[in-house]
Amino acid sequence: MKRKIAAIVSVLMVMSVMLLACSGNGGKTGSGTDQPDNAGKGGSGGKTDNKQYVIRYDPQAHLPKKPDAQDPTEKKVLDELNQKYMDQHPNVKIELVKVPANQDRNAWLQARMMAKDAPDIFWANFEDTWTNYKKGWFMPLDDWLAKPNPYNENKIWQDTFIPGILDSVRAPDGKLYVIPADGVGVAIFYNKEIFQKLNLQEPKTWSEFMEVSAAIQADGKVPFAFNMVNKGCCDAQWSDALLHNQFLIGNIGDLDTNHNNRIDPLEIAEATKAGKMPNMDIRKQEFTLMKEWAKYWPKGFAAKYDKNEMFASGKVAMMFGGSWTISELRAMKLPFEFGAFNFPTLKKESASLSTESGAKIYGPWGPGQWIVPGYLQQDDPDKIPVIMDYLMFLSNPENISALDKETESEPNIVGAEAPAGHEVFQEDLPIIVVQHYGAYLGKAFFDKFDSALSLYLSDKLTIDEFLEQMKQFYQQGAEETISQQGS
């Protein structure tokens, strides 16, 4: 009997110790890679212990600043949001990191990853993740995006992004290495005074666009301030995207092998090797249209000039611009009212192979592209839940709206509000399914393509000579892309 009583007492004591251990759990609420139970509840930076966390964040254009001569706007929202977050999470400190605007981001990224001293959250365009993800530089974010966001009614985080925007940044391996919280759009800006004087309406189709341009030219003005020489951006590349996509949208089934409704660089390369790209008939129609348009550009379009200044002076009636252009033009205090319209739609009367769908450039190239270093998964896994909790906080509709009103960017979160005057970027048009030639098949491809296009538009190459060179560039670029990105 004594032995039985002793055995029972021993069992009870063991059970008591186990219950006590389970209830305390060492003062923690899960492993370092799981979202904490109290994330976003305003108590402890995503942890229930007293550990202190410093989150270093490179916010690119969201970085707070005082007004200056080049940019008279003040940016302070991120400071205010960070203070709010730190008040809710006393053991978290947010430190902002400034990367100089003239810094070569790729060189900077290479050095930071080798030294393992990158900010915990940093900015880079999503295309950079496509070319570098195999190096392990970036943390895959899919599992985190599948979790509820406690700062947005516990909705699944990925479901709070506007449709299609996450798919547009997926790397060739199908994973997400960047969170695209905001973006930018591209439109054509115009001088309303010139249009009103000539009784012109915003053109909706290519033929209307050419008629408007002819009327402006006949009145002694330059219709469009097109500039070829700004390497990397943007007029020629945007034109290629806006024209080429109107032949492709709704017609990419055999090219979109990963089924994300886009033609990514590796898919372009594989289609090139298979003889599907470039479609020479489509390309001939596209660049014939561009040459037709070129007669309405300044005579020195292949030279360097400030198109914003030219537009502000009233010498030209139209120019390309982006979401950011609105603040630039407002700061210039123009003597006339400006407006903006989307690139005109190609009808079959202008291009027989067109799908007549229209197209707009809208994508996640804003300052809110958030990337987390891949090495943190091994070096500091406990910090990851805190980082992700902070990003969930920033991406709630109210917060991202406030940030983007300062930077004239387009929020990619459902329920967020775009800045005033940005209606043109919200117009219901198909978003491009393949980017411009600058993002197709590597830098060597881009440089060759860009140079040959400039020669063609300057009457130094015929259309057939240009297209033959372009076809060779595709083959060379495809080999390089497959060697870098292929499995």
Side-chain angles (χ1 to χ4, degrees):
M1 180 62 69
K2 288 181 180 180
R3 290 194 188 97
K4 289 182 180 180
I5 293 173
I8 292 170
V9 170
S10 297
V11 170
L12 290 173
M13 288 178 67
V14 170
M15 291 178 64
S16 297
V17 170
M18 291 177 65
L19 287 171
L20 181 61
C22 290
S23 64
N25 197 23
K28 298 184 179 180
T29 60
S31 71
T33 56
D34 290 331
Q35 185 177 14
D37 294 337
N38 70 327
K41 300 280 171 56
S44 55
K47 307 290 283 185
T48 58
D49 58 25
N50 294 319
K51 184 175 180 179
Q52 299 296 306
Y53 295 92
V54 176
I55 306 299
R56 298 175 65 244
Y57 174 30
D58 156 35
Q60 211 242 13
H62 285 314
L63 185 75
K65 63 174 283 294
K66 296 294 184 182
D68 56 39
Q70 292 185 332
D71 185 355
T73 60
E74 180 180 9
K75 295 178 184 175
K76 58 183 181 179
V77 168
L78 186 56
D79 272 345
E80 295 170 350
L81 291 176
N82 285 345
Q83 189 59 56
K84 180 179 179 181
Y85 186 84
M86 290 187 291
D87 287 345
Q88 294 177 358
H89 304 78
N91 62 329
V92 179
K93 181 180 180 182
I94 309 296
E95 288 186 355
L96 298 181
V97 178
K98 181 178 181 179
V99 178
N102 59 355
Q103 176 75 53
D104 181 335
R105 278 273 175 170
N106 284 327
W108 174 86
L109 186 59
Q110 173 88 18
R112 297 287 77 75
M113 290 302 158
M114 290 181 66
K116 291 189 175 182
D117 68 346
D120 301 304
I121 306 160
F122 63 90
W123 181 94
N125 267 324
F126 66 90
E127 295 96 338
D128 292 329
T129 68
W130 292 354
T131 56
N132 292 308
Y133 73 91
K134 286 188 175 181
K135 302 172 184 176
W137 288 358
F138 319 116
M139 188 180 86
L141 301 166
D142 304 74
D143 289 346
W144 283 98
L145 285 159
K147 295 178 182 292
N149 183 348
Y151 302 96
N152 195 357
E153 301 175 351
N154 279 318
K155 296 175 182 175
I156 299 301
W157 198 8
Q158 63 193 9
D159 294 344
T160 66
F161 290 77
I162 62 172
I165 205 69
L166 291 178
D167 282 338
S168 72
V169 302
R170 287 189 186 280
D173 64 352
K175 295 180 181 178
L176 292 166
Y177 296 96
V178 58
I179 297 174
D182 64 16
V184 295
V186 170
I188 293 174
F189 289 79
Y190 70 99
N191 183 323
K192 285 190 173 182
E193 186 177 283
I194 293 175
F195 271 56
Q196 289 166 359
K197 175 189 172 185
L198 300 176
N199 197 29
L200 301 174
Q201 304 297 316
E202 295 179 2
K204 299 297 183 185
T205 66
W206 182 262
S207 60
E208 291 174 358
F209 188 38
M210 294 299 99
E211 290 168 4
V212 163
S213 299
I216 293 168
Q217 190 176 69
D219 191 54
K221 294 282 196 303
V222 176
F224 203 99
F226 196 99
N227 193 334
M228 278 291 300
V229 302
N230 293 324
K231 289 292 184 182
C233 192
C234 293
D235 291 1
Q237 295 92 323
W238 287 343
S239 301
D240 171 56
L242 290 162
L243 286 167
H244 195 199
N245 275 268
Q246 295 196 54
F247 296 95
L248 295 176
I249 290 174
N251 193 28
I252 63 170
D254 62 335
L255 304 173
D256 178 25
T257 56
N258 66 5
H259 309 295
N260 70 347
N261 197 36
R262 291 175 64 86
I263 312 174
D264 303 323
L266 186 58
E267 290 172 332
I268 294 172
E270 291 169 342
T272 298
K273 299 298 289 183
K276 298 176 183 178
M277 292 186 80
N279 182 311
M280 300 303 283
D281 293 332
I282 285 177
R283 285 307 209 172
K284 189 164 189 173
Q285 289 196 7
E286 174 193 345
F287 290 110
T288 298
L289 292 171
M290 194 178 290
K291 189 67 172 286
E292 174 192 7
W293 183 19
K295 66 186 177 184
Y296 299 118
W297 303 344
K299 290 183 180 179
F301 71 85
K304 189 172 183 178
Y305 63 87
D306 189 328
K307 66 180 184 181
N308 280 21
E309 287 288 350
M310 200 170 181
F311 180 76
S313 70
K315 294 177 181 177
V316 298
M318 296 176 283
M319 69 172 189
F320 270 128
S323 304
W324 61 92
T325 304
I326 292 176
S327 61
E328 292 176 356
L329 295 179
R330 286 173 180 161
M332 297 174 80
K333 298 185 178 353
L334 302 179
F336 56 84
E337 188 179 355
F338 67 88
F341 60 87
N342 275 299
F343 197 79
T345 300
L346 292 180
K347 297 293 186 181
K348 291 192 179 296
E349 62 186 18
S350 300
S352 62
L353 297 176
S354 166
T355 59
E356 298 191 319
S357 64
K360 70 176 180 180
I361 296 175
Y362 178 94
W365 299 288
Q369 294 185 80
W370 300 325
I371 301 173
V372 178
Y375 58 75
L376 286 183
Q377 295 176 101
Q378 288 76 41
D379 292 4
D380 198 355
D382 281 352
K383 186 184 280 190
I384 293 174
V386 187
I387 293 170
M388 305 315 295
D389 185 74
Y390 171 63
L391 293 181
M392 288 181 179
F393 167 80
L394 288 184
S395 68
N396 96 356
E398 180 181 356
N399 293 344
I400 199 67
S401 297
L403 284 167
D404 287 343
K405 284 177 182 177
E406 280 192 335
T407 55
E408 302 285 352
S409 304
E410 314 304 320
N412 286 334
I413 302 298
V414 174
E417 295 182 2
H422 285 233
E423 292 77 13
V424 64
F425 306 115
Q426 311 301 318
E427 187 176 338
D428 187 17
L429 278 173
I431 297 174
I432 59 170
V433 295
V434 61
Q435 291 191 62
H436 51 71
Y437 63 84
Y440 287 177
L441 299 172
K443 187 178 186 305
F445 171 85
F446 165 53
D447 289 341
K448 293 174 183 177
F449 196 121
D450 202 53
S451 178
L453 179 59
S454 183
L455 291 172
Y456 162 65
L457 294 173
S458 301
D459 296 319
K460 295 180 176 63
L461 288 177
T462 67
I463 181 69
D464 291 329
E465 289 171 336
F466 166 62
L467 292 175
E468 186 57 36
Q469 289 190 19
M470 181 192 69
K471 190 173 182 180
Q472 295 174 17
F473 304 155
Y474 262 85
Q475 291 295 333
Q476 296 164 2
E479 295 283 356
E480 180 181 342
T481 299
I482 289 173
S483 69
Q484 290 180 348
Q485 299 185 28
S487 57

